[in-house]
């Protein structure tokens, strides 16, 4: 079965329709989510945020997880049902296939109308649920959270990735990408026209309006302190700046903390590097920054870029994701630079520090469609469409 793409007309109808008209069912929409655990990851955070929004919109939401470990479970609404596998399924070799089988067995006993599979990491759970008998099998909506085309894979590995994606997602009724380029790549790799674009729900509906850009020289970055985030490149770029009043703040924690401290010392900038560690909310740090830098070597859809723009801060980003250029072009400020090129990054940072400050409200407006409310509604409309289509086919 092929899903047609959700049009803007569909989304406008759904957003403005009366609550009673938002479902073709006599009962609330039943949504299932499969999660390995509640670790501090972008995929898990999105799933938890959407689960809460769907419950608040009147749906019944059940999360089936391998274990209830992880701090993000504390963000769930009390009305979200959480079922853990027994015995628990910790992350490890083959654990996602085990999780998929356990989840499918649960959905067979407690059916849902639609199953949300958040992110590439959870694709391996799809085949088991897709194999359920048609009368109890939910519509399966799989999300693409990470880049599908990665130059670092090489041609052979990319070919193998495409085969694996087609195999794992052949039972999905619809695929959701976070931006149009990823949608087109999903259609090309997975085959057919099953993908649609729904924005990343990176912002709360009541996100704070941006403050004026401060006159300081603070450059900010955020993320886990791991090699793929490119913070070593950022420190090298910072050391190349001919601006001794500038300071660099990298918010986050991880195994590379000492490596980065040593690198800053070797480059002579340790007195101007601030590593505050993990923070629950990066917005206060964004409010105090002049600009934000995304130095990653690869990303899926960088929620932190959306948060930075929503705070009214210009962004310098590497070409770590196809989403970087559209976001920055849409904001009309900032720049995209090559991956692993500290000199190019330094030039872009220096140019932005010297440029007139952009209007923070215009930067925030360009990412307003990432608010959780409209995104949650778009997903619910897709769930109902996919569920209704399955019933027609059956």
């Amino acid at each position: 079965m092929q899903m047609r793409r959700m049009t803007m007309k569909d989304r406008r109808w759904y957003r403005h329709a009366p609550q009673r008209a938002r479902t073709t069912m006599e009962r609330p929409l039943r949504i299932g989510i499969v999660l390995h655990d509640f670790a501090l990851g972008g995929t898990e955070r999105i799933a938890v945020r959407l689960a809460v929004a769907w419950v608040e919109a009147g749906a019944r939401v059940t999360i089936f997880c391998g274990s209830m470990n992880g701090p993000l479970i504390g963000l769930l609404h009390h009305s979200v049902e959480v079922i853990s596998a027994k015995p628990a399924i910790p992350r490890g070799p083959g654990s996602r296939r085990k999780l998929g089988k356990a989840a499918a067995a649960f959905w067979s006993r407690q059916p849902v109308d639609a199953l949300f599979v958040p992110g590439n990491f959870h694709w391996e759970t799809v085949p088991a649920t897709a194999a359920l008998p048609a009368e109890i099998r939910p519509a399966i909506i799989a999300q693409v959270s990470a880049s599908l085309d990665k130059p670092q894979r090489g041609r052979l590995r990319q070919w193998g990735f495409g085969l694996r994606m087609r195999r794992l997602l052949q039972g999905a009724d619809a695929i959701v990408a976070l931006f149009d380029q990823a949608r087109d790549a999903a259609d090309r790799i997975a085959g057919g026209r099953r993908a649609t674009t729904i924005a990343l729900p990176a912002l709360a509906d009541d996100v704070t309006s941006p403050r004026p850009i401060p006159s300081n020289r603070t450059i900010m970055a955020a993320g886990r302190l791991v090699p793929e985030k490119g913070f070593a490149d950022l420190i090298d770029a910072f050391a190349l700046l001919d601006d001794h009043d500038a300071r660099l703040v990298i918010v986050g924690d991880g195994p590379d903390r000492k490596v980065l401290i040593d690198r800053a010392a070797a480059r002579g900038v340790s007195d101007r590097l601030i590593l505050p560690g993990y923070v629950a909310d990066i917005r206060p740090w964004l409010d105090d920054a002049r600009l934000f830098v995304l130095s990653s070597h690869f990303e899926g859809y960088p929620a932190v870029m959306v948060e930075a723009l929503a705070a009214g801060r210009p962004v310098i980003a590497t070409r770590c994701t196809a989403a970087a250029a559209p976001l920055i072009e849409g904001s009309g400020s900032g720049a995209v630079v090559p991956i692993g090129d500290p000199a190019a990054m330094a030039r872009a940072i220096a140019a932005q520090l010297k440029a007139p400050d952009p209007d923070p409200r215009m930067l925030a407006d360009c990412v307003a469609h990432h608010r959780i409310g409209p995104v949650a509604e778009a997903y619910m409309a897709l769930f109902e469409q996919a569920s209704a289509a399955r019933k027609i086919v059956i």
Side-chain angles (χ1 to χ4, degrees), residues 214-220 245-249 274 285 288-292 353:
S215 58
N216 62 33
R217 319 292 286 174
T218 300
I219 301 157
M220 183 192 161
D245 292 326
R247 65 174 188 160
L248 175 62
V249 177
I274 300 171
W285 295 91
D288 192 45
R290 185 76 178 277
L291 70 132
F292 183 86
L353 289 174

Side-chain angles (χ1 to χ4, degrees), residues 6 11 14-15 198 373-383:
M6 187 183 301
R11 294 176 185 173
Y14 187 80
R15 188 173 299 127
I198 299 179
V375 172
E377 290 183 347
Y379 268 107
M380 289 180 71
L382 179 59
F383 293 160

Side-chain angles (χ1 to χ4, degrees), residues 256-269:
D256 271 13
R257 182 181 182 88
K258 186 177 185 307
V259 172
L260 297 177
I261 290 173
D262 291 345
R263 196 177 194 96
R267 301 294 186 269
V269 295

Side-chain angles (χ1 to χ4, degrees), residues 96-117:
R96 284 170 286 181
R97 289 192 298 275
K98 293 178 185 176
L99 175 63
K101 291 179 180 178
F106 176 75
W107 307 131
S108 70
R109 299 190 301 271
Q110 186 173 315
V112 291
D113 301 304
L115 173 64
F116 177 57
V117 180

Side-chain angles (χ1 to χ4, degrees), residues 362-387:
M362 291 182 63
L363 299 186
D365 286 347
C366 79
V367 292
H369 61 290
H370 288 275
R371 294 172 186 256
I372 185 71
V375 172
E377 290 183 347
Y379 268 107
M380 289 180 71
L382 179 59
F383 293 160
E384 293 193 356
Q385 178 187 337
S387 179

